[in-house]
Amino acid sequence: MCRGDDPSCADFEIHHRQFVEDMARERRAFLASAFAAKGGIAAMAAGGVALPKKVSAVTRHHHLPANADTVHWGYFSRNLKPQLEIDSGDFATIETLTHQASDDHERMIEGDPGAESVYLWTKDRKGVMRRGAGEGDGKGLGVHVCTGPVLVRGAEPGDVLEVRIVDVTLRPSANPQFRGLAFGSNAAANWGFHYNDFLTGDTREVVTIYELDATGERNWARAIYNFRWPEVMDPFGVKHPTIDYPGLPVDHALTTRNWDVLKGVRIPVRPHFGVMGLAPKEADDVNSVPPSYTGGNIDNWRIGKGASVYYPVAVSGALLSVGDPHASQGDSELCGTAIECSLTGTFQVILHKAGELAGTPIEGLDFPMIETRDEWVLQGFSYPNYLADLGAAAQSAIFQKSSVDLAMRDAFRKMRRFLMTAKNLTEDEAISLMSIAVDFGITQVVDGNWGVHAIVRKDIFPT
Amino acid sequence: MCRGDDPSCADFEIHHRQFVEDMARERRAFLASAFAAKGGIAAMAAGGVALPKKVSAVTRHHHLPANADTVHWGYFSRNLKPQLEIDSGDFATIETLTHQASDDHERMIEGDPGAESVYLWTKDRKGVMRRGAGEGDGKGLGVHVCTGPVLVRGAEPGDVLEVRIVDVTLRPSANPQFRGLAFGSNAAANWGFHYNDFLTGDTREVVTIYELDATGERNWARAIYNFRWPEVMDPFGVKHPTIDYPGLPVDHALTTRNWDVLKGVRIPVRPHFGVMGLAPKEADDVNSVPPSYTGGNIDNWRIGKGASVYYPVAVSGALLSVGDPHASQGDSELCGTAIECSLTGTFQVILHKAGELAGTPIEGLDFPMIETRDEWVLQGFSYPNYLADLGAAAQSAIFQKSSVDLAMRDAFRKMRRFLMTAKNLTEDEAISLMSIAVDFGITQVVDGNWGVHAIVRKDIFPT
């Protein structure tokens, strides 16, 4: 029987309406319920558009650790070998490592076998040779340690992959000296918005190390010390006067650590994944820094526990990767980084097949859309699909061409389309509503392809 | 005795430290308390930097109605005759009228003597002849009906005027047919961000009328109808094919009203004043549309009940005006207007003399700063003082030169200075903190001088 997806069926309209109603009903039930524990974890459901009918009653819970074998560093690629294959509906606990852990080896790497294997770098070899989308070793075109990719069986271009973030936990320091604590690094780096605009002193990169309570008792972070980036000589003998390659081992015998920093200031903790997304189809190796239509380095702090992100699938199997974990970030990520802090996430993936999208909020989705408990957050970029928009030189051009103005334009257009398709408003209704009940914020101004998001509350719409 | 403001005093340092401590103590007590009812109103205190010692124990409560005699339409001016003179510490209840009331005369003007006197326009005369900063009748260079100005005795350039918004109420419709209701108008106008970027149909201006519950029982607005802007012939016989002059009387015999609009959508109500600010010193008559360093048309919805705004005083007496009342607005005010809806505010003004600012969060303040119960909100603009920045042609040039990118730069610099001066952080501390705990949002992209605000929570700092 036609399930509402076969326009040649004589009763297509009736079937399709029934299908849409069923989806809405299932979705309300899903959001209202505390999702039953499955696969041995107490999973709390994130929101979702609807549970497609194909989701198996039996879901599996997978685990993907982060180590030199399971991560790809600094790039997305449609050619990467999957580290895990899962079905729609399955859960996966995925470890992620910050690419700035080597700013404080003692606190963020030492004693942690996964981190040690990734960060291994001697005069003879690197645990992960390639770090970026450039030739050879990556040439620093990309920075994020990404775990994955995860292949979702049955995912094809045109589908939408929903990734529900069921839980997020801090990765505790493995050094017994720092039991119960976790640490993160914030680099005010050369790609920051402030970098050519200092008020005092000379141009500099400054790294601040933050401490968090890994037990979850204390919900704020505090600064421990900061230091000015020294010229770092890497184990292969190359000098790095600035932070121009990821994972450079900082030797604190060569830094001056200032322990009197942000005394008494409590940083609200908002754990989230700076990078989460799918492999794009436009190129083989894609720098992990600029976000795009399949997600990636969106750097929106709302991509945390309880949120779902919907991505258009661009390649078979979707190829989901997660990385760039953040403990806290403000809208704009002004200095170039967040509190970069290793996290472990538990995710549920739901595959929405192309034929099931009509009449749902994700019909025609061609960008990463975030759903939280209370809000829809639509992500705009200076260039919605910069790899296609900027041609052959896109991966370098994007760093010259971004602006908040362009990203605002894109966020406006995306929200308008969402209100018109998902909420059945006319263009005039959508435009009025956007002026009085949608908030536009600056996601980031440091990732090549700058971001503006548009937020609308879910409870303003009729049920 | 030196009160900590006389550097020639032998004990200046001790006195000054004592003064700063006293201010902090008073301020904490003020914020913690429900401010005692005075002058017959139950006033709830907004936050404040401190109560300066000069505030009299006896405060007065003034009332300034809105009518053709008490408003100035479309411009600020250092030459305007004050409508009210008050002392620091006094309260004033000030009525404000939306400049879009004539979009629905029946609901927003009829039976309301104040509104009728302002909107009076026959073939022979206008209740308020001048509407804007241009020559003659204003030539449409400015749109907002502003009540005032209010002269604050003793205010001089270099001082800071704090305006506390103690209460805000909707102005009920005076038409018995609409008892208990209030109304507002949202115009998707030619100056909107969307205007040259329609998805469907031809280029158009559309006005939507919204209904609110004036009793306060219902905290959301709903759309009643919308209509496409017709060519309006004003009573002097001039045709207006677009909204190019404020207060044009719409004749609904010539419009087609669509009553099927935004059905079931509940707009969250956030009453606030789009325009609140002081007379600038740079020019005689200043268009009310572009906001600047003395405030004006900031269009930040956080300027509502419970908030304080701090303004640098530019001319003797400060000359405070209030207008452009909004029931609801989103960050960006995308289509050019909010729900423009007449409101009445109760304000308390506190004058902070130049000599008392050292060591306080408002030391050196040269822009409008907002304080809410929980946050500091620093307002950036494309051009911080466009009248000075853009030279003789500033009032026209500003409409060609704005960008969100420039406003982001300004908001960054203001927040950095605030953190360094008010919170005693080093530049490196401030920059790290801005990246992890400050949110940058897009205030508006429609007022000539575009706005970006930076928000930091107050509770992250040590007490």
Side-chain angles (χ1 to χ4, degrees):
Chain A
M1 189 190 107
C2 157
R3 289 185 15 251
D5 54 359
D6 177 8
S8 67
C9 166
D11 291 325
F12 169 70
E13 285 199 14
I14 296 168
H15 292 159
H16 185 68
R17 196 161 55 238
Q18 187 60 44
F19 171 71
V20 170
E21 281 169 13
D22 286 353
M23 285 183 89
R25 198 176 311 123
E26 282 191 46
R27 175 154 183 269
R28 283 197 297 274
F30 181 82
L31 287 168
S33 70
F35 200 64
K38 287 198 176 170
I41 60 154
M44 210 193 69
V49 164
L51 279 182
K53 299 189 191 277
K54 279 183 194 158
V55 171
S56 162
V58 180
T59 59
R60 289 181 188 80
H61 184 196
H62 311 266
H63 185 263
L64 185 58
N67 58 50
D69 296 325
T70 61
V71 304
H72 49 106
W73 195 331
Y75 63 105
F76 279 85
S77 176
R78 58 190 176 190
N79 301 325
L80 280 166
K81 179 176 163 289
Q83 296 300 317
L84 184 66
E85 294 195 16
I86 66 177
D87 290 308
S88 177
D90 283 0
F91 291 84
T93 294
I94 302 177
E95 298 177 8
T96 66
L97 295 173
T98 173
H99 53 282
Q100 288 188 209
S102 55
D103 291 339
D104 187 330
H105 188 280
E106 185 187 18
R107 286 175 173 76
M108 293 190 271
I109 298 175
E110 198 173 314
D112 182 328
E116 286 179 345
S117 75
V118 168
Y119 275 93
L120 176 74
W121 192 350
T122 66
K123 69 181 171 54
D124 303 315
R125 69 188 185 99
K126 288 149 88 178
V128 181
M129 186 61 198
R130 180 173 198 151
R131 304 182 182 184
E135 290 175 21
D137 73 348
K139 283 193 178 160
L141 298 178
V143 298
H144 309 98
V145 177
C146 300
T147 310
V150 176
L151 180 144
V152 180
R153 293 193 190 98
E156 293 298 336
D159 299 344
V160 169
L161 188 70
E162 175 185 351
V163 181
R164 298 173 170 178
I165 305 175
V166 177
D167 199 16
V168 183
T169 57
L170 300 171
R171 187 179 184 97
S173 175
N175 184 333
Q177 200 181 333
F178 304 109
R179 193 181 306 277
L181 299 174
F183 296 92
S185 170
N186 170 255
N190 62 76
W191 59 89
F193 189 79
H194 68 291
Y195 193 67
N196 294 309
D197 192 1
F198 279 102
L199 196 63
T200 61
D202 52 357
T203 299
R204 59 197 177 271
E205 292 179 305
V206 175
V207 177
T208 308
I209 302 298
Y210 288 85
E211 177 199 282
L212 299 102
D213 175 10
T215 69
E217 185 80 13
R218 199 179 78 213
N219 68 349
W220 44 271
R222 65 176 161 215
I224 302 296
Y225 67 89
N226 68 8
F227 64 93
R228 190 170 166 148
W229 183 261
E231 183 172 77
V232 171
M233 167 100 73
D234 74 32
F236 289 173
V238 179
K239 287 180 181 173
H240 301 268
T242 63
I243 307 173
D244 63 357
Y245 193 79
L248 295 170
V250 172
D251 177 357
H252 281 295
L254 303 176
T255 70
T256 303
R257 292 202 260 194
N258 163 30
W259 299 85
D260 180 25
V261 56
L262 289 169
K263 282 294 168 210
V265 175
R266 298 178 172 203
I267 313 296
V269 172
R270 302 167 164 175
H272 60 280
F273 297 96
V275 167
M276 188 161 90
L278 312 184
K281 69 171 185 290
E282 285 75 9
D284 280 330
D285 298 316
V286 177
N287 186 329
S288 68
V289 172
S292 193
Y293 74 107
T294 52
N297 190 29
I298 296 176
D299 279 332
N300 192 320
W301 57 263
R302 294 158 190 85
I303 302 178
K305 180 171 176 169
S308 291
V309 188
Y310 301 86
Y311 303 96
V313 174
V315 301
S316 288
L319 299 184
L320 168 70
S321 298
V322 189
D324 191 28
H326 292 170
S328 303
Q329 189 208 295
D331 278 336
S332 90
E333 203 184 19
L334 188 122
C335 82
T337 63
I339 296 181
E340 311 281 329
C341 171
S342 299
L343 300 173
T344 295
T346 296
F347 307 89
Q348 187 187 26
V349 300
I350 306 287
L351 181 63
H352 300 272
K353 293 300 291 178
E356 297 171 349
L357 305 180
T360 77
I362 54 176
E363 180 179 356
L365 188 79
D366 60 0
F367 63 92
M369 185 165 72
I370 305 163
E371 182 184 13
T372 68
R373 191 190 62 175
D374 298 325
E375 298 167 336
W376 291 103
V377 181
L378 276 64
Q379 189 61 53
F381 303 114
S382 294
Y383 294 88
N385 177 352
Y386 77 96
L387 292 168
D389 300 337
L390 299 180
Q395 297 208 47
S396 54
I398 188 62
F399 290 93
Q400 314 304 324
K401 288 174 170 274
S402 272
S403 86
V404 188
D405 290 290
L406 288 172
M408 172 71 207
R409 175 72 52 193
D410 185 45
F412 149 59
R413 290 176 176 166
K414 285 170 174 168
M415 180 55 85
R416 174 175 58 185
R417 197 185 79 169
F418 175 77
L419 294 173
M420 292 175 71
T421 59
K423 300 297 176 185
N424 284 314
L425 302 186
T426 66
E427 184 173 19
D428 293 334
E429 290 176 311
I431 286 173
S432 182
L433 192 63
M434 269 188 284
S435 203
I436 62 178
V438 173
D439 291 321
F440 289 80
I442 297 172
T443 319
Q444 51 76 23
V445 289
V446 293
D447 292 336
N449 200 9
W450 294 3
V452 165
H453 52 265
I455 302 178
V456 65
R457 277 169 50 173
K458 292 153 83 172
D459 63 1
I460 73 171
F461 299 105
T463 49
Chain B
M1 189 191 109
C2 155
R3 289 184 14 253
D5 54 359
D6 177 7
S8 68
C9 165
D11 291 325
F12 169 70
E13 285 198 16
I14 295 166
H15 292 160
H16 185 70
R17 196 160 55 237
Q18 186 62 45
F19 170 70
V20 171
E21 281 169 11
D22 285 352
M23 288 183 86
R25 197 176 311 121
E26 282 190 46
R27 174 154 183 268
R28 283 197 298 274
F30 181 82
L31 287 168
S33 71
F35 201 63
K38 286 198 177 169
I41 60 153
M44 210 192 70
V49 164
L51 278 182
K53 299 191 190 276
K54 278 181 196 160
V55 171
S56 162
V58 180
T59 59
R60 289 180 188 80
H61 183 197
H62 311 268
H63 184 263
L64 186 57
N67 58 49
D69 297 326
T70 61
V71 306
H72 50 106
W73 196 328
Y75 63 106
F76 280 84
S77 175
R78 58 191 176 190
N79 300 325
L80 281 166
K81 179 176 162 292
Q83 297 300 317
L84 185 66
E85 294 195 16
I86 65 177
D87 290 307
S88 178
D90 283 0
F91 291 84
T93 294
I94 302 177
E95 298 176 10
T96 66
L97 295 172
T98 172
H99 55 282
Q100 288 186 210
S102 56
D103 290 339
D104 187 331
H105 189 280
E106 185 187 18
R107 285 175 173 77
M108 293 190 271
I109 298 174
E110 199 173 312
D112 182 328
E116 286 179 344
S117 76
V118 168
Y119 274 93
L120 176 74
W121 191 350
T122 67
K123 68 180 171 56
D124 303 315
R125 69 188 186 96
K126 288 150 88 178
V128 180
M129 187 60 199
R130 180 175 198 151
R131 304 183 181 181
E135 288 174 23
D137 73 349
K139 283 192 177 160
L141 298 178
V143 298
H144 308 99
V145 178
C146 300
T147 309
V150 176
L151 181 146
V152 180
R153 293 193 190 99
E156 293 297 335
D159 299 344
V160 168
L161 188 69
E162 174 184 353
V163 181
R164 298 173 171 180
I165 305 176
V166 176
D167 199 16
V168 183
T169 57
L170 301 170
R171 188 179 183 97
S173 176
N175 184 333
Q177 199 181 334
F178 304 108
R179 194 181 305 278
L181 299 174
F183 296 92
S185 169
N186 170 255
N190 62 77
W191 60 88
F193 190 79
H194 67 292
Y195 193 67
N196 294 309
D197 193 1
F198 279 102
L199 197 62
T200 61
D202 53 357
T203 299
R204 60 198 177 270
E205 293 179 304
V206 174
V207 177
T208 308
I209 303 298
Y210 288 86
E211 178 200 282
L212 299 103
D213 175 9
T215 69
E217 185 79 13
R218 199 180 78 211
N219 69 349
W220 44 271
R222 64 176 160 215
I224 302 296
Y225 67 91
N226 68 8
F227 64 93
R228 190 169 166 149
W229 183 261
E231 183 172 76
V232 170
M233 167 100 74
D234 74 34
F236 289 174
V238 178
K239 287 181 181 173
H240 300 270
T242 62
I243 306 173
D244 63 356
Y245 194 78
L248 295 170
V250 173
D251 178 358
H252 281 293
L254 302 176
T255 69
T256 302
R257 291 203 260 193
N258 163 31
W259 299 86
D260 181 25
V261 56
L262 289 168
K263 283 294 169 210
V265 175
R266 300 178 171 200
I267 313 296
V269 172
R270 301 167 166 176
H272 61 279
F273 297 96
V275 167
M276 189 162 89
L278 313 184
K281 68 171 187 291
E282 286 75 8
D284 281 330
D285 299 317
V286 178
N287 186 330
S288 67
V289 172
S292 192
Y293 74 106
T294 53
N297 189 33
I298 295 176
D299 280 332
N300 192 319
W301 57 262
R302 294 159 190 85
I303 302 178
K305 180 171 175 169
S308 291
V309 188
Y310 300 85
Y311 303 97
V313 174
V315 302
S316 288
L319 299 184
L320 169 70
S321 298
V322 189
D324 190 28
H326 293 170
S328 303
Q329 187 208 297
D331 279 335
S332 90
E333 203 184 20
L334 188 121
C335 81
T337 63
I339 297 182
E340 310 281 329
C341 170
S342 298
L343 300 174
T344 296
T346 295
F347 308 89
Q348 187 186 28
V349 301
I350 306 287
L351 181 63
H352 300 271
K353 293 300 291 177
E356 298 171 349
L357 305 180
T360 77
I362 54 176
E363 181 178 355
L365 188 78
D366 60 0
F367 64 92
M369 186 165 72
I370 305 163
E371 181 183 14
T372 69
R373 191 190 63 175
D374 299 324
E375 298 165 337
W376 292 103
V377 181
L378 276 63
Q379 190 61 54
F381 303 114
S382 294
Y383 294 88
N385 177 352
Y386 77 97
L387 293 168
D389 300 337
L390 299 180
Q395 296 208 47
S396 55
I398 188 63
F399 289 94
Q400 314 304 324
K401 286 174 170 278
S402 271
S403 86
V404 188
D405 289 292
L406 288 172
M408 171 72 207
R409 176 71 51 194
D410 185 44
F412 150 60
R413 289 175 177 167
K414 284 170 174 169
M415 181 55 85
R416 175 175 57 184
R417 197 186 78 169
F418 175 78
L419 295 173
M420 291 174 72
T421 60
K423 300 298 176 186
N424 284 315
L425 302 185
T426 66
E427 184 173 19
D428 293 333
E429 289 175 313
I431 285 173
S432 183
L433 192 63
M434 269 188 284
S435 202
I436 61 177
V438 173
D439 291 320
F440 289 80
I442 297 172
T443 319
Q444 51 77 24
V445 289
V446 293
D447 293 336
N449 200 10
W450 294 3
V452 165
H453 51 265
I455 301 177
V456 65
R457 276 169 50 173
K458 293 153 82 173
D459 64 2
I460 74 171
F461 299 105
T463 49

